[in-house]
Amino acid sequence: MTLGTNKTQELRRKAAKLNEQFAGLNARQILSRVINGGVAGRAAVLSSFGAEAAVLLKLVAEKNPATPVVFLDTRKHFPETLAYVENLTDALGLTTLVRARPSYGQLAVSDPDGNRHATDPDRCCYARKTLPMISTLRNFDCVLTGRKRHQTDDRAQMDVVEVQESWLSINPLADWSLDEVRAYAREMALPAHPLVSQGFQSIGCQPCTQPSEDYRAGRWAGSDKTECGIHITKDGKVRRIGANTNG
Ligand code: SF4
């Protein structure tokens, strides 16, 4: 989808204004303004239901448990992740789960033998994550994410509020360290993803995730790929590796 220049400029102005408003605020204060105050319009939260997902979902549930929670179901997740989606939303009292999935018709064209992850992971992510995500999130004005600056080099400089396609991406946990995330999860006794106890530190699709002592080294091991192709670049475009990048 290509946004008009005026719409893109309007979103960028709005993001800049919100970044000013959110400067110095903590995650709960930002979530209050977004979820309860509606300062960025219709809000959803995007969750991977991975190893750290419970923290943002707990904070969101405290503000409004009916906030739509979008789960990108690539149809390649671990069975443990699919069970965790159900268990965690129940435990937190979240009432509006939205599954964004690639259709079987789309997959018959883009990944007919189900092995695209091995031959072209960027195109696999594009078909299984990017396209379903855009189709679902275009219905919202802003999307809350659990992205943090410590996670990858690409994220080190990210703003709390960014422009992505036709919506704002809001990262209230941007400055949380891994230790802070884990300490909060312990303090709140949040249900852990069942694979964490088996040595998984960052959990995505089953074919592309393995146990690792090093954070993130367990994702796309053996390649330099660090992002799914579903997040944005500094110029406000969705990163669509292996596809048209003009948004
Ligand atoms: S993480 Fe792996 S299986 Fe999942 S969409 Fe990307 S390449 Fe495909």
Side-chain angles (χ1 to χ4, degrees):
M1 179 177 67
T2 302
L3 272 189
T5 305
N6 288 346
K7 175 70 175 171
T8 301
Q9 288 175 346
E10 182 189 326
L11 279 173
R12 287 180 182 166
R13 279 195 296 272
K14 197 165 184 178
K17 191 173 158 193
L18 287 171
N19 275 315
E20 280 182 22
Q21 288 179 17
F22 293 168
L25 300 186
N26 63 33
R28 279 196 176 87
Q29 292 167 327
I30 293 170
L31 290 169
S32 287
R33 283 159 177 74
V34 173
I35 293 174
N36 304 120
V39 295
R42 294 164 301 165
V45 55
L46 179 64
S47 180
S48 65
F49 286 84
E52 301 170 23
V55 169
L56 178 62
L57 294 176
K58 168 71 175 169
L59 292 166
V60 167
E62 283 176 1
K63 301 302 176 191
N64 182 358
T67 305
V69 177
V70 177
F71 169 55
L72 282 179
D73 182 354
T74 61
R75 304 188 190 275
K76 286 287 186 184
H77 282 293
F78 290 93
E80 290 87 344
T81 298
L82 301 179
Y84 188 53
V85 171
E86 303 295 334
N87 295 338
L88 186 60
T89 49
D90 279 355
L92 297 177
L94 292 160
T95 59
T96 313
L97 180 64
V98 180
R99 287 182 175 82
R101 293 177 170 132
S103 71
Y104 286 118
Q106 289 168 335
L107 292 178
V109 175
S110 60
D111 192 4
D113 62 3
N115 205 37
R116 182 72 74 195
H117 60 86
T119 59
D120 192 343
D122 289 333
R123 285 194 181 277
C124 184
C125 282
Y126 180 70
R128 292 180 180 273
K129 293 183 175 180
T130 307
L131 291 179
M133 179 192 75
I134 291 172
S135 172
T136 301
L137 297 189
R138 64 172 46 146
N139 298 312
F140 299 94
D141 298 312
C142 70
V143 178
L144 294 154
T145 86
R147 299 168 72 217
K148 304 162 199 78
R149 294 191 182 106
H150 76 82
Q151 289 173 316
T152 68
D153 291 343
D154 282 346
R155 298 181 187 184
Q157 304 300 322
M158 72 180 185
D159 291 324
V160 170
V161 183
E162 304 170 301
V163 176
Q164 184 166 2
E165 290 285 320
S166 61
W167 62 86
L168 296 176
S169 182
I170 302 180
N171 314 305
L173 305 183
D175 63 356
W176 284 42
S177 68
L178 186 55
D179 285 346
E180 287 173 315
V181 169
R182 289 176 174 170
Y184 180 81
R186 278 195 304 274
E187 181 188 341
M188 294 290 125
L190 297 177
H193 191 297
L195 293 178
V196 169
S197 63
Q198 297 179 36
F200 291 81
Q201 297 208 39
S202 177
I203 301 161
C205 294
Q206 187 163 12
C208 303
T209 308
Q210 60 187 41
S212 170
E213 290 183 8
D214 180 35
Y215 187 83
R216 281 267 161 188
R219 303 287 295 279
W220 300 291
S223 83
D224 59 2
K225 183 171 166 64
T226 61
E227 292 279 9
C228 307
I230 62 171
H231 291 302
I232 61 169
T233 57
K234 284 297 284 183
D235 61 1
K237 293 174 181 153
V238 170
R239 177 184 297 215
R240 295 178 183 183
I241 304 163
N244 183 346
T245 58
N246 292 327

